[in-house]
């Protein structure tokens, strides 16, 4: 597992205290895995770790919506974002729900036979309105947004090796791994248990699609905590990242660096390296290189690297939010 981490040294379970220890304990109890690289790599920035875990737990794990449907959403978003690490993980987790053919068929690019699963997958990948009732929006929308964020952090900071020697590419290994996790995946942990871990963190208003729900509280905390990573940039660099993402059409950037170098020429040299890294984390995290990290990082600690990538990731995540929530929020307004 040590080979999974590209740029940070995680906080070990033995050294963990406070929020970090609390997250690790809930990971073991509610997810069934004490060591998940995607969370370990966030651990140098405990606020980012806690808020990310809270959103994932309160949307994907807790609640009333079927776990299988939410795993379809997680897998669909991960495929759209080209995150092989998360694609392998959620294919395995679909095995754990008992849907062995479903996970493999989606990973191959096939359309699920079940119309409900097909509609969820299409919505997660960017097509169609929300195929679920508004009261389940905190779970489905929360899951989709959680993985828009997590995919970017995983692609930027981890290798794609979920297991040593890329064993996750084996269908047999995914099936066996899913069976091993079946009991944990089929449990429904009580909603809200992660919220004490984000108590005291900065938070803005809860989103309309999840107001009053634990997932809404968690998303508000993640948005505030991750956006604070923009403080590591100059004012001009921070504004440029936000403006560039606001103009993004949702497609993957073309090959080459013209799409990135063009906007960066407007910045003084001192702001370019940080803005470049944040824009990569937002729009093409799988293209982050050692040189990109080294050009900005200098002597900065792991915490700052996590926080800067989190700023890029949340900027892209909030850009995706209106498409995922527009019809849902209209439905909520009709019911109020």
């Amino acid at each position: 597992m040590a080979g999974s981490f590209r740029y940070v040294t995680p906080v070990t379970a033995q050294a963990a205290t406070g929020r970090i220890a609390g997250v690790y304990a809930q990971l073991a109890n509610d997810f069934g895995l004490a060591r998940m690289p995607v969370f370990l790599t966030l651990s140098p920035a405990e606020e980012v770790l806690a808020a990310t875990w809270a959103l994932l737990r309160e949307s994907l794990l807790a609640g009333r919506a079927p776990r299988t449907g939410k795993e379809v959403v997680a897998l669909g978003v991960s495929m759209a974002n080209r995150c092989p690490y998360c694609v392998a993980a959620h294919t395995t987790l679909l095995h754990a729900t008992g849907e062995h053919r479903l996970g493999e068929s989606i990973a191959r690019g096939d359309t699920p036979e079940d119309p409900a699963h097909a509609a969820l997958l299409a919505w997660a990948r960017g097509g169609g309105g929300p195929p679920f009732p508004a009261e389940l929006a905190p779970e489905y929308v929360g899951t989709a947004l959680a993985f828009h964020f997590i995919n970017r952090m995983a692609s930027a900071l981890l290798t794609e090796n979920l297991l040593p020697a890329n064993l996750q590419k084996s269908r047999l290994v995914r099936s066996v791994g899913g069976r091993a996790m079946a009991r944990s995946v089929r449990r429904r942990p009580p909603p809200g248990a992660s919220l004490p871990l984000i108590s005291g963190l900065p938070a803005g208003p809860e989103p309309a699609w999840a107001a009053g729900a634990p997932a809404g509280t968690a998303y508000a905390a993640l948005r505030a905590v991750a956006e604070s990573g923009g403080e590591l940039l100059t004012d001009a660099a921070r504004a440029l990242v936000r403006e560039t993402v606001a103009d993004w059409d949702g497609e993957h950037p073309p090959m080459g660096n013209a799409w990135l170098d063009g906007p960066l020429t407007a910045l003084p040299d001192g702001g370019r390296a940080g803005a470049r890294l944040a824009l990569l984390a937002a729009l093409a995290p799988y293209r982050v290189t050692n040189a990109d990290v080294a050009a900005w990082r200098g002597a900065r600690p792991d915490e700052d690297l996590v926080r800067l990538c989190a700023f890029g990731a949340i900027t892209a995540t909030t850009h995706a939010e209106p498409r995922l929530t527009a019809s849902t929020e209209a439905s909520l307004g009709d019911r109020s």
Side-chain angles (χ1 to χ4, degrees), residues 31 36 38-39 56 60-61 67-68 70-79 83-97 99-100 102-104 106-107 143 146-147 150-151 154 162 168 174 178 181 185:
F31 215 116
M36 290 182 64
V38 73
F39 286 101
L56 180 138
L60 180 67
L61 306 189
R67 177 70 180 268
T68 297
K70 291 188 285 188
E71 288 293 346
V72 167
V73 169
L75 181 53
V77 171
S78 299
M79 292 178 70
C83 180
Y85 180 94
C86 295
V87 168
H90 293 282
T91 302
T92 302
L93 286 165
L94 274 169
H95 278 283
T97 69
E99 294 283 355
H100 301 285
L102 178 61
E104 295 298 330
I106 293 174
T143 295
F147 283 94
I150 289 170
N151 291 163
L162 179 64
Q168 74 279 353
R174 291 193 294 267
M181 296 186 66
V185 166

Side-chain angles (χ1 to χ4, degrees), residues 54-55 58-59 134-139 191-192 195 198 206-220:
L55 179 58
E58 302 305 335
S59 58
E135 58 266 24
L136 296 182
E139 297 173 55
L195 300 188
I198 59 173
E206 294 182 1
W209 51 267
T217 303
Y219 183 69

Side-chain angles (χ1 to χ4, degrees), residues 136-219:
L136 296 182
E139 297 173 55
Y140 283 118
V141 175
T143 295
L145 292 174
F147 283 94
H148 273 295
F149 183 81
I150 289 170
N151 291 163
R152 288 170 166 83
M153 299 301 286
S155 291
L157 299 176
L158 295 174
T159 71
E160 66 179 61
N161 299 328
L162 179 64
L163 295 172
N166 268 334
L167 286 174
Q168 74 279 353
K169 292 186 176 181
S170 162
R171 175 174 179 163
L172 176 61
V173 170
R174 291 193 294 267
S175 178
V176 171
R179 292 176 194 279
M181 296 186 66
R183 180 175 296 179
S184 295
V185 166
R186 294 172 188 178
R187 278 203 314 260
R188 293 204 177 199
S194 70
L195 300 188
L197 294 171
I198 59 173
S199 177
L201 295 184
E206 294 182 1
W209 51 267
T217 303
Y219 183 69

Side-chain angles (χ1 to χ4, degrees), residues 96-122:
T97 69
E99 294 283 355
H100 301 285
R101 291 179 55 195
L102 178 61
E104 295 298 330
S105 69
I106 293 174
R108 286 194 306 269
D110 297 341
T111 299
E113 295 177 0
D114 184 323
H117 291 155
L120 283 169
L121 181 64

Side-chain angles (χ1 to χ4, degrees), residues 7-9 44-45 157 229-235 237 269-278 291-309:
Y7 304 116
V8 306
T9 300
L157 299 176
E231 297 167 1
L232 294 164
L233 300 175
T234 65
D235 291 347
D269 290 348
R272 288 180 191 170
R276 180 186 184 88
L277 187 52
D292 294 318
V293 173
W296 173 77
R297 186 167 187 175
R300 292 182 175 95
D302 288 354
E303 176 186 358
D304 283 358
L305 178 60
V306 173
R307 292 182 64 232
L308 181 62
C309 289

